[in-house]
Amino acid sequence: MIGAVQCGARQFGGSLKLTLGTLALLLIAALVFAQHAWGLPWTPPRIIGMCIGVPSFLLLCIARVQLGDAFSARAKASTLVTKGLYSRIRNPIYVFGALAIAGIIIWTSRPWLFLVFAVLIPLQAYRARKEAQVMEEKFGPAYLEYKRKTWL
């Protein structure tokens, strides 16, 4: 995900609806999951899955909010994200999204679902490379310096 983090009310810019809409969908998904999980026994895989999935899901939400109006389904460069989670990780939405999915897979105790990663990870790697190309074209040396200082 490509974008920018800004301070104050300008952080959301014209995408307040998009940000709130995304967060509403994530909240609904979390509530449906919680309702389903409520009465199930707390087995070790469920505990491990929750310990991975819940923090990852929360960090995914934070990354989405920090992206603000720079969020895009397509690789485009409006502003370089360098603050918040983006100060350490270039693609926190991909990282924490994958970890949240891994937590859910562990929680379900169905290891065969890790086949999802056989499709997901290469797609995310491809998308991240495309976004890096767009960012490098737009921001040049500033992006290369940012890339040098961040992970993934």
Side-chain angles (χ1 to χ4, degrees):
M1 302 287 131
I2 298 175
V5 175
Q6 299 171 345
C7 295
R10 288 182 32 195
Q11 174 182 354
F12 296 108
S15 74
L16 183 58
K17 284 184 184 177
L18 178 62
T19 300
L20 292 177
T22 302
L23 291 175
L25 286 174
L26 291 172
L27 179 62
I28 289 168
L31 290 173
V32 168
F33 178 77
Q35 181 181 14
H36 174 73
W38 187 258
L40 298 174
W42 285 96
T43 62
R46 288 210 172 101
I47 294 168
I48 292 167
M50 291 294 276
C51 288
I52 294 170
V54 170
S56 298
F57 180 77
L58 293 173
L59 289 167
L60 169 67
C61 293
I62 290 168
R64 174 57 190 93
V65 168
Q66 289 176 344
L67 204 51
D69 62 355
F71 177 80
S72 172
R74 292 185 165 184
K76 67 178 187 176
S78 57
T79 309
L80 182 62
V81 175
T82 59
K83 299 197 183 315
L85 294 172
Y86 293 88
S87 69
R88 302 284 184 208
I89 305 171
R90 284 188 305 278
N91 299 294
I93 289 177
Y94 296 156
V95 170
F96 296 121
L99 286 171
I101 291 169
I104 291 169
I105 292 169
I106 293 168
W107 180 85
T108 64
S109 297
R110 291 186 175 89
W112 65 268
L113 288 174
F114 275 106
L115 293 174
V116 169
F117 283 105
V119 175
L120 178 69
I121 299 304
L123 286 174
Q124 287 183 331
Y126 172 77
R127 183 171 165 94
R129 279 194 302 273
K130 293 296 275 183
E131 289 175 356
Q133 289 173 348
V134 171
M135 296 296 280
E136 188 173 343
E137 288 172 11
K138 171 87 176 197
F139 300 107
Y143 177 73
L144 293 175
E145 178 64 16
Y146 168 71
K147 189 176 176 180
R148 185 184 67 73
K149 292 180 178 180
T150 55
W151 178 71
L152 197 63

